[in-house]
């Protein structure tokens, strides 16, 4: 297992990765509350970015509605907790089950009815927006007034109910991000990963070489939506409030994937790198212009970054950085 | 009485549908010729709406007279967008095009937010509360004007593609790009022109729409989706289809708002999109997007 | 070096027809290929050769007619099922997986019969060696020459361990020496494994050297079949090629 993970990685890359992990693990000990909060959001985007990347970057299926799976995960666990006091550790099972189910429904409809490319992306958007409106009209889920999780006094950590200070959520999302990286690396080097990449590069040629398209696309959507559902649970318990409009909106789905596009679609480390570049820069910009009271400057900058990346470095920042650091092609992925 | 109510709502939906159709024409023209799916569609229209708002507020120009001005401005915007940006990414995978357009959409929304703030704003024309009585029907004057304006602009567009040399050249580019190059057409210029025409439609539609609804930065995405629903129903790339789809959606949306809660209006549209995507027999409506 | 037990299958095409909105691209085509034979499918451009292949491989549904492998009908099966049933194919225009290495391109084919990545890559390397591509195994397809990409296409099809190999113009664009090498490879492959081969080919040098039997299509219909010598002397065949292409 360990051998499979490190196979093909030059010692240099392993050392860098270990150093990076160590810095991230030690961050709460020297970072201020503000820096920690930025890191937390960055890692959240990194984690969801990895889940999304698995679908587009590995298997070639574009979703522009991933906020849907975050929303389902978040609302399921939050509703179970607020209404019945169900621990998020139990809630996460239901949350993942529901978001995976939703992913499979969309995947089934999309792939069975041969809805491809832009039409598939539209289908994911339509489902996300539709679900958002349904939640908006559902009183049990708080409707448009929002769903709020009871907050305990900060300081004490209640692991069972995930109530506690930001540092708890920092380590949770750090572990999730690390685990997703390992999972992606394992998957990419397996039959599953190779089949996904074949489908991504040329669906008809893959089919002629014996790849059952439907099954492997479904697996990609299922894993991606399941991981995103987990992110949703974390999101609900970190923020303690959920609003349908801001949770399910298409703009939110786009926001979730920007980091990955900047970091490098289809690469292993791209989503993490992209999120760690884009989120802090956006926050910095907001901070610098906070005196001017300009809404939207952060998102404007994010949009600009993506346009620049698509125009000038469409494979993303990571392949370029990996080359600069003289890391092997196989470092953190196939590099593309 | 209820029959008249339904009839009234249907007619007003029909008139709104003409504007939707004009806006969808913009999407369809661009896709039909350049094969680019404009994910920033609604946002560009919102730009047109804000431009009209500014012209009305600061220069006192009636939104209907703003149509040519805003259309010309957005034509320039579209021409440059195609020539400076979109043209450079045709060799990239499809999803890169979507992401690029989506990112441009994000930039437009943010820019509008930075300039105009998040609140909904509208124009107040002198004839806002006038209406025409036609038999049992009572129709708002603005809505009649808006519908007629949309119809006129759409008619001009059809005439352009049918009777002018440039229009014919653009159609030739859409049919066969290589062939168009071979016979010496300036494809790069014609593509930019097409994108400009598409966004000019949006400018016109936006200027008209301001008469009917208040504008705010977050209006864009829902109009993008609405336009997609319309052109997918009408057939992506088909101009009469876009107009027809607009009418269908305008009427069904208006009636849905009456039958269900108004807040469920867009749920009906999204539900319709999902249904159309699934039930659309392959290749029957519109050309396949690869 | 060519691993595995002998494998070959018979192919029977009966009354195969495909209409595209008014145009009949393939019109009641029938032919039979006995196990282990090498058949060529020739004819001018637009004669319906590739459409026939697409129907055999399941990429296109026949309007009517039947295709059977060893007596089992393939009609209605998906392309990946037909592949696993023993039909390997190449595409006329090469279609490599551009973002993965040459060896992984071929390994995708091998994964149709094994789930063991190491075994798939080992077998893929064998196929690459067979086609003289082993030294380029870690390159990306975009960085190798067109003839090499043609070989890659063949290697990927071979890696699926086909009983029937459908080759669509794999020798077009190759230099004569490369054609001869490819011909020798297929002949050896056919001899050692017994794999049945049907090839679409314009390079008559390859057709004459390889095939036991030739089927000639024109306007979707079979206009002649027989040994290579017989068909090249057939006046109908000569007539249909006149003005179109030369039998060089």
């Amino acid at each position: 297992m360990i051998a499979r993970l490190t196979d093909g990685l030059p010692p240099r890359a392993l050392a860098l990765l270990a150093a990076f992990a160590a810095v991230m693990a030690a961050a709460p000990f020297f970072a201020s509350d503000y820096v920690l909060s930025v890191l937390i959001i960055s890692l959240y985007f990194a984690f969801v970015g990895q889940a999304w990347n698995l679908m587009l970057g590995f298997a070639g299926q574009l979703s522009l509605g991933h906020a849907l799976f975050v929303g389902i995960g978040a609302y399921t666990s939050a509703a179970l907790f607020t209404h019945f006091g169900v621990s998020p550790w139990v809630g996460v099972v239901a949350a993942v089950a529901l978001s995976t189910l939703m992913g499979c429904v969309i995947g089934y409809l999309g792939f069975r009815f041969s809805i491809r490319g832009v039409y598939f992306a539209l289908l994911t958007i339509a489902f996300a927006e539709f679900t958002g409106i349904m939640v908006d009209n559902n009183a049990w889920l708080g409707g448009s007034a929002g769903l709020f999780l009871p907050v305990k006094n900060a300081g004490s950590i209640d692991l069972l109910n995930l109530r506690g200070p930001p540092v708890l959520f920092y380590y949770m999302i750090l572990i999730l991000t690390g685990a997703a990286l390992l999972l992606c690396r394992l998957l990419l080097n397996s039959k599953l990963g190779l089949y996904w990449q074949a489908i991504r590069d040329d669906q008809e040629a893959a089919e002629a070489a014996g790849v059952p398209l439907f099954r492997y696309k479904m697996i990609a959507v299922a894993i991606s939506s399941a991981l995103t559902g987990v992110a949703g649970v974390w999101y609900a318990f970190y923020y303690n409030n959920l609003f349908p409009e801001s949770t399910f909106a298409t703009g939110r789905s786009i926001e979730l994937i920007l980091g990955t596009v900047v970091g490098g679609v289809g690469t292993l480390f791209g989503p993490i790198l992209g999120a760690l570049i884009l989120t802090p820069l956006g926050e910095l910009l907001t901070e610098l212009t906070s005196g001017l009271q300009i809404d939207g400057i952060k998102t404007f900058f994010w949009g600009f970054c993506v346009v620049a990346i698509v125009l000038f470095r469409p494979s993303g920042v990571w392949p370029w950085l990996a080359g600069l650091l003289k890391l092997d092609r196989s470092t953190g992925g196939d590099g593309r | 009485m209820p029959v008249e109510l339904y009839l009234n709502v249907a007619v007003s939906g029909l008139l709104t549908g003409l504007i939707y159709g004009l806006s969808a024409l913009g999407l369809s023209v661009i896709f039909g010729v350049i094969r680019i799916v404009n994910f920033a569609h609604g946002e560009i229209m919102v730009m047109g709406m804000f431009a009209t708002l500014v012209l009305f507020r600061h220069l006192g120009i009636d939104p209907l007279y703003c149509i040519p001005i805003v259309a010309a401005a957005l034509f320039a915007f579209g021409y440059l967008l195609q020539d400076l940006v979109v043209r450079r990414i045709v060799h990239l995978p499809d999803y890169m095009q979507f992401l690029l357009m989506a990112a441009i959409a994000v930039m437009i929304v943010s820019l509008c937010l930075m300039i105009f703030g998040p609140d909904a704003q509208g124009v107040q024309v002198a004839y806002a509360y006038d209406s025409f009585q036609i038999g049992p029907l009572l129709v708002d004057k603005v809505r009649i004007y808006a519908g007629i304006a949309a119809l006129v602009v759409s008619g001009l567009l059809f005439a352009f593609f049918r009777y002018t040399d440039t229009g014919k050249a653009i159609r030739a580019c859409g049919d066969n790009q290589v062939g168009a190059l071979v016979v010496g057409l300036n494809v790069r210029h014609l593509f930019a022109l097409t994108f400009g025409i598409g966004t000019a439609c949006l400018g016109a539609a936006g200027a008209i729409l301001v008469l009917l609804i208040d504008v705010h930065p977050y209006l864009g995405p829902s109009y993008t989706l609405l336009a997609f629903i319309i052109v997918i129903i009408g057939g992506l790339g088909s101009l009469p289809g876009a107009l027809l789809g607009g009418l269908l959606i305008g009427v069904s949306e208006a009636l849905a708002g009456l039958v269900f809660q108004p807040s469920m209006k867009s749920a009906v549209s999204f539900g319709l999109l999902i249904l159309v995507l699934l039930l659309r027999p392959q290749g029957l409506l519109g050309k396949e997007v690869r | 070096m060519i691993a595995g037990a002998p494998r070959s299958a018979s192919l029977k095409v009966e009354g195969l027809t495909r209409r595209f909105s008014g145009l009949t691209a393939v019109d009641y085509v029938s032919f039979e290929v006995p196990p282990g034979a090498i058949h060529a499918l020739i004819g001018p451009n637009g004669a319906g050769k590739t459409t026939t292949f697409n129907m055999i491989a399941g990429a296109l549904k026949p309007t009517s007619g039947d295709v059977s492998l060893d007596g089992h009908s393939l009609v209605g099966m998906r392309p990946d099922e037909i592949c696993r049933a023993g039909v390997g194919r190449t595409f006329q225009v090469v279609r490599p997986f551009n973002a993965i290495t040459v060896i992984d391109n071929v390994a995708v084919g091998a994964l149709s019969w094994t789930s063991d990545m190491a075994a798939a890559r080992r077998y893929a390397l064998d196929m690459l060696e067979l086609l003289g591509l082993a030294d380029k195994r870690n390159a990306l397809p975009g960085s190798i020459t067109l003839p090499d990409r043609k070989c890659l296409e063949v290697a990927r099809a071979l890696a699926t361990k086909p009983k029937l190999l459908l080759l669509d113009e794999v020798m077009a664009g190759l230099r004569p020496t490369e054609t001869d090498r490819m011909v020798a490879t297929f002949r050896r492959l056919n001899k050692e494994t017994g794999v049945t081969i049907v090839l679409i080919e314009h390079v008559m040098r390859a057709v004459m050297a390889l095939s036991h039997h030739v089927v000639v299509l024109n306007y979707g219909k079979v206009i002649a079949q027989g040994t290579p010598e017989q068909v090249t002397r057939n006046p109908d065949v000569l007539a249909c090629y006149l003005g179109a292409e030369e039998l060089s």
Side-chain angles (χ1 to χ4, degrees), chain A residues 41-78:
Chain A
I41 312 168
S42 306
L43 285 174
Y44 165 71
F45 281 128
F47 179 68
V48 181
Q50 290 186 82
W52 176 78
N53 186 39
L54 193 144
M55 222 172 114
L56 174 69
F58 300 172
Q61 309 304 312
L62 174 64
S63 158
L64 289 179
H66 251 51
L68 171 62
F69 307 124
V70 173
I72 291 178
Y75 267 100
T76 307
S77 58

Side-chain angles (χ1 to χ4, degrees), chain B residues 230-254:
Chain B
I230 291 168
V231 295
I232 287 170
I233 291 174
L236 204 46
S238 148
L239 299 190
L243 216 50
L244 188 73
L247 292 178
L248 277 172
I249 286 292
V251 174
S252 59
E253 213 188 33

Side-chain angles (χ1 to χ4, degrees), chain A residues 109-126:
Chain A
L109 294 175
F111 306 143
R112 263 287 173 266
F113 288 79
S114 321
I115 297 170
R116 281 208 217 169
V118 60
Y119 291 114
F120 183 72
L122 281 173
L123 189 71
T124 61
I125 292 178

Side-chain angles (χ1 to χ4, degrees), chain A residues 170-222:
Chain A
Y170 176 78
Y171 280 114
M172 280 187 68
I173 196 71
L174 183 63
I175 291 168
L176 282 174
T177 307
L181 182 65
L182 295 183
L183 178 73
C184 287
R185 161 107 187 141
L186 276 179
L187 288 177
L188 207 54
N189 288 320
S190 69
K191 173 175 181 171
L192 195 60
L194 201 51
Y195 266 15
W196 282 343
Q197 294 174 79
I199 293 171
R200 175 194 69 196
D201 287 353
D202 190 327
Q203 164 164 325
E204 278 79 26
E207 200 175 24
V211 180
L213 300 180
F214 180 73
R215 188 192 308 162
Y216 282 86
K217 287 186 196 172
M218 284 300 279
I219 296 173
V221 179

Side-chain angles (χ1 to χ4, degrees), chain A residues 189-191 194-195 197-198 200-202 204-212 329 334 336, chain C residues 79-80 83-84 89 91 95 97-100 104 107-109 111-112 114-115 117 156 160:
Chain A
N189 288 320
S190 69
K191 173 175 181 171
L194 201 51
Y195 266 15
Q197 294 174 79
R200 175 194 69 196
D201 287 353
D202 190 327
E204 278 79 26
E207 200 175 24
V211 180
R329 261 191 83 253
D334 62 355
R336 285 248 260 172
Chain C
D80 60 290
C83 171
R84 272 173 277 126
R89 75 167 298 188
F91 289 92
R95 300 181 77 161
F97 307 125
N98 278 314
I100 59 179
D104 280 353
V108 169
L111 285 171
S112 61
T114 175
S115 290
M117 282 293 280
R156 186 174 66 198
T160 65

Side-chain angles (χ1 to χ4, degrees), chain A residues 5-6 9-24 181-182 185 269 272 318 327 331-332:
Chain A
L5 277 170
T6 57
L9 282 175
R12 215 183 140 74
L14 273 178
L16 273 174
L17 193 64
F20 175 70
V23 170
M24 292 306 279
L181 182 65
L182 295 183
R185 161 107 187 141
F269 208 70
I272 300 175
W318 173 247
L327 302 175
T331 316

Side-chain angles (χ1 to χ4, degrees), chain B residues 3-21:
Chain B
V3 181
E4 282 165 17
L5 178 65
Y6 280 102
L7 210 59
N8 262 316
V9 170
V11 167
S12 99
L14 203 68
L15 292 169
T16 316
L18 283 169
I19 312 172
Y20 288 170

